[in-house]
Amino acid sequence: MIIMGVDYGDARTGIAVCDKFEMLASPVCSVSQRNKDELIKEICSLAKKYNVEQFVIGLPKNMDSSEGERARKCKNFAAELSEISGIECVMRDERLTTVTAHNALNVTNTKGKKRKAVVDQVAAVMILQDYIDFRRISGSK
């Protein structure tokens, strides 16, 4: 199944997809769009282009596992995306993915504007890879 990972943000949203065998998540793009309706349209267009069958949306939980305002926004976004696209959205804990993405970019010495452009994509890849690894290990394909 082709799954699209989404790291939803107010200014930029990272997008990643996996191959049909659910082995490897790859970055697609970062969408710079503050208007939620326009963002959903762009994601739906990408989903059609990549033949996406499921979305996995990052759920930003607090370190104590509680959910705050940002988590509520992400859940609402996922519900709207699913309703408009007709594609199931699964929420996946994304704690520390942005920190891990920044650390990965430190290793590759990616800085400045280039870093800002790709950090959301790297976070989307991490969310998606975590989810497809979970599916493979748990046998829930």
Side-chain angles (χ1 to χ4, degrees):
M1 172 174 9
I2 297 174
I3 305 169
M4 179 175 280
V6 179
D7 181 37
Y8 174 59
D10 289 328
R12 283 180 319 281
T13 297
I15 306 292
V17 295
C18 70
D19 60 288
K20 66 181 177 181
F21 303 109
E22 298 181 32
M23 297 299 290
L24 184 65
S26 301
V28 171
C29 65
S30 290
V31 179
S32 295
Q33 179 59 258
R34 292 183 180 272
N35 181 295
K36 185 171 53 170
D37 295 334
E38 291 300 317
L39 175 61
I40 288 173
K41 283 182 190 176
E42 288 189 46
I43 293 173
C44 287
S45 177
L46 288 167
K48 187 174 184 173
K49 176 181 178 180
Y50 288 94
N51 298 311
V52 170
E53 300 168 76
Q54 186 179 57
F55 291 110
V56 59
I57 313 292
L59 180 64
K61 290 185 175 184
N62 297 320
M63 292 309 291
D64 65 357
S65 295
S66 65
E67 295 180 7
E69 179 63 24
R70 188 77 208 150
R72 186 186 62 73
K73 279 185 174 183
C74 288
K75 284 182 172 181
N76 289 341
F77 174 79
E80 286 184 51
L81 178 60
S82 182
E83 183 179 328
I84 290 169
S85 68
I87 299 171
E88 176 190 23
C89 286
V90 175
M91 303 302 294
R92 188 77 182 158
D93 187 351
E94 68 163 39
R95 276 179 282 189
L96 299 178
T97 54
T98 301
V99 172
T100 305
H102 278 289
N103 289 339
L105 293 171
N106 286 342
V107 171
T108 62
N109 205 26
T110 305
K111 296 183 179 173
K113 289 182 180 181
K114 185 169 184 178
R115 180 188 198 104
K116 192 174 183 179
V118 298
V119 70
D120 300 301
Q121 292 174 52
V122 174
V125 166
M126 292 178 172
I127 292 164
L128 179 54
Q129 190 66 53
D130 177 63
Y131 179 66
I132 61 179
D133 290 346
F134 165 77
R135 284 172 54 90
R136 186 172 39 257
I137 292 167
S138 68
S140 62
K141 282 191 172 185

